[in-house]
Amino acid sequence: MPESVELGNKTLIISKDFNLKVDGSKYKDQSGILKDGFTRLLDVVTSNNVIEYNFGKVDQSVLLQGIHVVILSEDDELQYGVDESYKLNIYPKGNPNYAHVEAATVYGALHALQTFSQLCHFNLNTRKLVVSQTPISITDRPRFAYRGLLIDTSRHYQPLPMIKKVIDSMAYAKLNVLHWHIVDEQAFPLEIPSFPKLWNGAYSRPERYTVAAATDIVSYAKRRGVNVLAELDVPGHARSWGVGYPALWPSKNCKEPLDVSNDFTFNLINGVLSDFSKIFKYRFVHLGGDEVDTSCWTLTPRIQKWMTQKGLNGSTAYEYFVLKAQKIALSHGYEVINWEETFNHFGNKLDRKTVVHNWLGGGVAEQVVKAGLRCIVSNQDKWYLDHLDNDWQTVYTNEPLVNITKPEQQKLVIGGEVCAWGEHIDGSDIEQTIWPRAAAAAERLWTHPSKLAKDPNEVTSRIANFRCLLNQRGVAAAPLDVPGRGAPIEPGSCYVQ
């Protein structure tokens, strides 16, 4: 739901020669981001029906000839905090008649094109593409700068075309961060030139991502206004690393967390993050830090001896590892995101640039911002999409700022993220697991609080329409009224399932 919407009662017909006009725009579009966005707009609004363009004696005043986009910034760097605001006006007057978009950046303009695409529909009587309820005046901007979706390519490999489809669908819902949980204990599918044996930990040779493929994903996402957040989860969840480099394991029989006592461990992390910095240009890198069981360290005599010499135990060695990894990431120009266990165990020791990623439950964000650190909300009881019992109403009503009332603390919640962990997700079911529930979170993260529904039933028809729109665009979004990614219960219309 946009920040403000005004609608009329007149209908305009989309012209056969519907075109993009950029007179007066400061943005030169040298890399074609706006042009490509406009081409995608034409594709999605015309793909579901065969449009008849034999207008005959149609009055020119009811023809919408194109979109006139004025962008106020020359820059197209996509980064955290980029201005994504826009204004969209469609007036039933003018000869020739154009829809008008004004945006601070090209990324705001892309959001305007997404909104415009949802205002178009096929008129079955005239067999033409129309925009009804004009004049239309929309002013819009996101509530949170970080609106994320996590996908997991360690538990199951995701083919590149499927990752790109997910990015396309994120853009439809104005989500702007793809959190790519690339590696975990089960598999290490990414090529790391500095340490080329790391991807020996992939499931198979075909289930790997080259540097060029990862770079292509980042570029593809940028052209749709989506940043890619890469995660390197340390020191736990890293057993697969040792397939190529066994020295990272505490012992042959005890394979995670990564060996805290070995300088090679940190040299390798340094190399990985150096390679990351050439691919992943987002301000943040995610260093994990969750679910660390340090018993492998305490049960391995040489590591126990090292910890004793350093005056460390399992708990303080965990702190030592996380803080050392943070310093390495900072040296490569990144700000760090860590899962909440790091805050819960030693929050006052974390670098002040740390963003704490909440996942275990409620109340954590409140404590994080009280401590003066930034936070991302993903509490698993509401925003884990692999929890199939989290229905869309549960997702919609999850408020990131619950019990956070001071404005200076509210600003420290930079946004939220829905997570599609991959234990039971591969290329066959990822879209059904994500959609339409992620759209409920997308509205929570985009829309001004005054425009959010107090009762999720008030938005049932809109999310049902969005789910059907996704289906029409080739996205396998699941029915609303089944748990998680279930199948339709019985025959019926898309709009009532």
Side-chain angles (χ1 to χ4, degrees):
M1 180 61 72
E3 190 173 84
S4 73
V5 185
E6 295 177 17
L7 303 172
N9 57 12
K10 292 190 168 66
T11 297
L12 296 176
I13 301 171
I14 301 288
S15 165
K16 180 181 181 181
D17 301 314
F18 193 78
N19 63 83
L20 175 66
K21 192 164 75 169
V22 293
D23 303 357
S25 182
K26 290 184 180 178
Y27 181 65
K28 302 308 178 194
D29 200 25
Q30 291 173 336
S31 52
I33 293 175
L34 180 62
K35 181 183 174 186
D36 285 357
F38 180 74
T39 300
R40 291 194 302 276
L41 163 69
L42 295 180
D43 288 345
V44 297
V45 298
T46 59
S47 63
N48 202 48
N49 268 295
V50 177
I51 317 298
E52 295 182 11
Y53 290 111
N54 53 332
F55 292 126
K57 295 183 179 180
V58 169
D59 186 339
Q60 290 294 306
S61 67
V62 300
L63 279 183
L64 194 60
Q65 300 287 354
I67 297 184
H68 183 189
V69 177
V70 175
I71 297 171
L72 305 179
S73 170
E74 299 175 15
D75 189 16
D76 63 9
E77 182 187 8
L78 180 63
Q79 194 46 268
Y80 170 77
V82 67
D83 192 329
E84 299 173 89
S85 63
Y86 68 89
K87 294 177 183 176
L88 170 63
N89 292 293
I90 307 171
Y91 302 117
K93 61 183 180 182
N95 190 16
N97 197 3
Y98 277 76
H100 292 271
V101 169
E102 182 181 292
T105 68
V106 67
Y107 302 107
L110 292 181
H111 291 316
L113 296 183
Q114 291 294 349
T115 297
F116 182 86
S117 77
Q118 294 185 34
L119 296 170
C120 299
H121 65 273
F122 181 71
N123 184 309
L124 268 173
N125 295 324
T126 64
R127 311 297 165 96
K128 292 176 175 52
L129 203 57
V130 302
V131 178
S132 52
Q133 294 185 285
T134 67
I136 296 171
S137 182
I138 293 174
T139 302
D140 208 5
R141 73 188 68 243
R143 179 185 179 197
F144 291 103
Y146 184 108
R147 306 180 305 281
L149 166 68
L150 178 146
I151 64 168
D152 171 6
T153 59
S154 171
R155 276 56 181 250
H156 285 95
Y157 175 85
Q158 286 292 343
L160 289 173
M162 184 54 75
I163 296 176
K164 289 179 176 180
K165 281 194 75 181
V166 168
I167 292 167
D168 284 336
S169 59
M170 288 175 67
Y172 300 153
K174 301 186 177 74
L175 292 172
N176 70 345
V177 179
L178 178 70
H179 176 176
W180 191 358
H181 187 85
I182 308 172
V183 304
D184 209 290
E185 63 184 82
Q186 292 88 352
F188 197 116
L190 180 65
E191 179 182 23
I192 301 294
S194 299
F195 290 90
K197 293 180 184 177
L198 274 171
W199 70 350
N200 290 3
Y203 287 121
S204 68
R205 291 185 68 84
E207 293 172 298
R208 293 179 175 184
Y209 306 103
T210 63
V211 167
T215 303
D216 182 49
I217 288 295
V218 171
S219 173
Y220 188 92
K222 176 185 176 180
R223 299 181 77 79
R224 286 149 183 81
V226 175
N227 279 296
V228 178
L229 167 69
E231 180 173 356
L232 191 75
D233 195 350
V234 294
H237 291 284
R239 189 177 67 230
S240 63
W241 302 33
V243 176
Y245 295 97
L248 295 168
W249 289 332
S251 72
K252 287 182 180 179
N253 300 318
C254 219
K255 297 183 176 180
E256 63 182 5
L258 297 170
D259 187 348
V260 66
S261 70
N262 191 343
D263 288 342
F264 174 68
T265 300
F266 296 99
N267 292 338
L268 182 138
I269 290 171
N270 183 52
V272 174
L273 290 174
S274 176
D275 289 347
F276 267 29
S277 69
K278 298 176 180 73
I279 305 168
F280 303 106
K281 303 300 183 180
Y282 194 39
R283 178 188 298 183
F284 302 106
V285 68
H286 205 304
L287 292 183
D290 61 313
E291 297 181 323
V292 178
D293 177 354
T294 61
S295 57
C296 269
W297 293 345
T298 55
L299 293 172
T300 304
R302 63 178 180 81
I303 298 179
Q304 179 59 59
K305 180 181 177 183
W306 177 88
M307 288 196 296
T308 302
Q309 289 172 344
K310 290 273 190 182
L312 300 173
N313 56 32
S315 176
T316 53
Y318 165 46
E319 175 188 315
Y320 168 90
F321 195 115
V322 168
L323 297 183
K324 192 164 182 175
Q326 282 200 335
K327 285 178 182 173
I328 294 170
L330 292 164
S331 76
H332 290 287
Y334 282 119
E335 293 176 38
V336 175
I337 303 174
N338 277 115
W339 293 109
E340 71 173 69
E341 285 96 325
T342 59
F343 174 80
N344 297 339
H345 284 83
F346 46 89
N348 61 333
K349 303 282 184 63
L350 292 169
D351 186 273
R352 299 306 293 171
K353 289 184 178 179
T354 303
V355 180
V356 177
H357 197 162
N358 152 239
W359 73 278
L360 284 170
V364 176
E366 189 182 349
Q367 298 304 315
V368 170
V369 297
K370 275 183 183 174
L373 295 174
R374 292 169 294 176
C375 189
I376 295 166
V377 173
S378 289
N379 45 316
Q380 62 175 342
D381 57 329
K382 303 290 175 62
W383 275 5
Y384 269 28
L385 300 175
D386 52 300
H387 290 202
L388 301 182
D389 55 346
N390 286 344
D391 59 23
W392 74 265
Q393 294 94 334
T394 299
V395 173
Y396 189 88
T397 53
N398 190 42
E399 172 49 52
L401 297 186
V402 65
N403 295 330
I404 302 172
T405 55
K406 294 181 179 177
E408 66 272 18
Q409 292 181 0
Q410 290 179 339
K411 289 176 185 174
L412 293 174
V413 179
I414 67 171
E417 175 179 295
V418 282
C419 302
W421 292 102
E423 281 84 353
H424 305 287
I425 299 174
D426 65 8
S428 71
D429 62 357
I430 185 170
E431 291 181 303
Q432 297 97 317
T433 310
I434 293 170
W435 304 108
R437 291 179 298 158
E443 174 152 302
R444 175 66 52 173
L445 292 167
W446 176 278
T447 297
H448 190 275
S450 65
K451 297 285 183 177
L452 289 165
K454 301 289 187 289
D455 179 353
N457 293 322
E458 294 171 24
V459 301
T460 301
S461 63
R462 286 196 299 112
I463 194 168
N465 272 284
F466 187 72
R467 181 251 165 170
C468 297
L469 180 74
L470 290 173
N471 282 179
Q472 289 166 5
R473 293 181 180 184
V475 179
L480 287 184
D481 59 1
V482 297
R485 52 173 173 259
I489 294 169
E490 57 190 357
S493 164
C494 172
Y495 297 95
V496 294
Q497 292 183 329

